[in-house]
Amino acid sequence: MIMGMTIKGDDPLASLEKVNSLNISTCQMYVPPEEWWSKGRLELIKKTMQEKGVRITALLCHFEGESYEDIGAIKRTVGLLNQATREKRVRKILSSSEVARNLGVKVLQAHIGFIPEDRSDLDYKGLVKAVQRIADYCKKNGQSFALETGQEKARTLAMFIEDVNRSTLGVNFDPANMLLYDAEDPIGALDILGKYIIGVHCKDGKRPAKRGELGKEYPLGEGDVDIRRFIDKLKEIGYTGPLTIEREIAGERQIKDILKAKKLLEKLR
Ligand code: MG
């Protein structure tokens, strides 16, 4: 399995340079801001990808006004759950699909927010419709749409995917999120979600000390995911895609942790 990392999209050229400087060959990049969406600038990104030998494996959608401060804020502000911002955000995802198409990127990815456990919930039905629309649009552009795991139970996510019922819909499996959001054992969740895997995040973390709070992210290998078991399980289910390292801090420490994670994964893959 090849290596990857998640990276910001504010300055795509600098980001590609950074990935290359860490000797990593793929990345999942946050959707660049609109000033990068012109034909000329997208061509420049493509040219830099070639020059640096770095492939963007997925574009990560994000939205204005999102807060990961605590569980309440996530429920209110993240993804497509909130009806007040849903339509505007779906449209942004569709535009991002065009950006991805112009860059030759085959996967669009997002946190769509906490999926309600009750199928008769209005928000559940609204989410199904919204994701059907996105998946259909992505299909037209030759892309898959990957949902980031972890904010809900694996069974809820699997039920949701079955209800959306689109072959281009799958998951980006993030084992640490399952601990951060105090959901279930990530390795066990792979038994349920394995057949929908499009990509993975190699991230580590620990559960919250108190119920209802958010857990804490740790450098890879230092949390409770059990990365060795995680990689073994990925092999067992036949995953051959990139191992995308995600470390959600900034600065020198982030670089250090990513390089350490890379070393660890090179031993385990
Ligand atoms: Mg993640």
Side-chain angles (χ1 to χ4, degrees):
M1 290 177 266
I2 51 171
M3 293 290 162
M5 64 184 281
T6 60
I7 191 117
K8 291 209 160 31
D10 311 39
D11 182 345
L13 307 187
S15 288
L16 291 167
E17 167 77 52
K18 182 175 169 183
V19 176
N20 169 267
S21 74
L22 299 176
N23 214 1
I24 291 176
S25 59
T26 74
C27 65
Q28 293 186 352
M29 187 184 280
Y30 283 85
V31 176
E34 277 188 44
E35 69 248 33
W36 282 92
W37 293 6
S38 70
K39 269 244 164 349
R41 284 198 146 189
L42 290 172
E43 278 306 315
L44 197 57
I45 298 175
K46 270 170 90 172
K47 206 176 125 213
T48 309
M49 279 166 74
Q50 271 177 354
E51 279 170 9
K52 301 292 171 194
V54 174
R55 188 162 54 91
I56 302 175
T57 53
L59 280 190
L60 312 183
C61 301
H62 54 106
F63 312 100
E64 218 177 290
E66 284 184 311
S67 164
Y68 285 85
E69 186 86 20
D70 54 45
I71 303 268
I74 293 170
K75 284 197 166 152
R76 277 193 314 277
T77 68
V78 170
L80 306 176
L81 190 63
N82 192 331
Q83 267 192 58
T85 48
R86 190 181 294 150
E87 176 61 25
K88 194 177 164 203
R89 289 181 174 186
V90 167
R91 282 200 208 149
K92 190 184 171 195
I93 296 179
L94 304 188
S95 308
S96 302
S97 168
E98 291 301 314
V99 173
R101 183 176 60 84
N102 281 308
L103 290 174
V105 175
K106 296 290 178 204
V107 179
L108 208 61
Q109 192 164 306
H111 275 288
I112 59 164
F114 280 92
I115 297 170
E117 286 183 26
D118 178 3
R119 264 182 163 146
S120 62
D121 188 310
L122 260 186
D123 280 331
Y124 183 91
K125 292 180 181 169
L127 273 183
V128 168
K129 282 218 170 76
V131 173
Q132 282 174 335
R133 202 170 137 205
I134 295 165
D136 288 341
Y137 198 93
C138 285
K139 187 175 184 182
K140 173 181 84 72
N141 279 340
Q143 298 153 349
S144 302
F145 185 53
L147 308 175
E148 272 237 37
T149 62
Q151 290 174 349
E152 53 283 307
K153 291 191 186 116
R155 286 200 188 285
T156 307
L157 187 53
M159 169 180 80
F160 180 78
I161 292 172
E162 278 159 32
D163 285 343
V164 172
N165 194 23
R166 295 292 189 273
S167 60
T168 46
L169 182 65
V171 300
N172 182 81
F173 194 92
D174 184 326
N177 284 351
M178 305 221 157
L179 301 178
L180 301 185
Y181 296 105
D182 212 5
E184 62 238 287
D185 166 49
I187 315 295
L190 266 174
D191 282 325
I192 299 167
L193 294 170
K195 60 181 168 181
Y196 300 120
I197 285 205
I198 293 172
V200 300
H201 280 169
C202 295
K203 188 169 92 185
D204 215 337
K206 293 188 181 183
R207 289 182 188 278
K210 257 197 262 167
R211 262 204 165 274
E213 289 184 354
L214 206 54
K216 197 168 171 272
E217 190 196 345
Y218 279 81
L220 203 72
E222 295 177 26
D224 289 335
V225 164
D226 192 342
I227 298 302
R228 181 180 296 270
R229 251 179 88 216
F230 178 57
I231 301 296
D232 284 348
K233 187 77 190 181
L234 287 176
K235 288 180 198 163
E236 188 191 310
I237 64 170
Y239 177 77
T240 55
L243 297 172
T244 302
I245 300 163
E246 183 170 53
R247 182 68 175 119
E248 302 191 277
I249 54 171
E252 283 301 307
R253 180 70 205 275
Q254 187 203 32
I255 302 286
K256 222 180 104 201
D257 287 351
I258 290 174
L259 287 173
K260 209 181 129 209
K262 183 175 168 246
K263 236 185 192 163
L264 174 64
L265 291 171
E266 278 164 352
K267 261 194 291 177
L268 299 177
R269 69 180 166 178

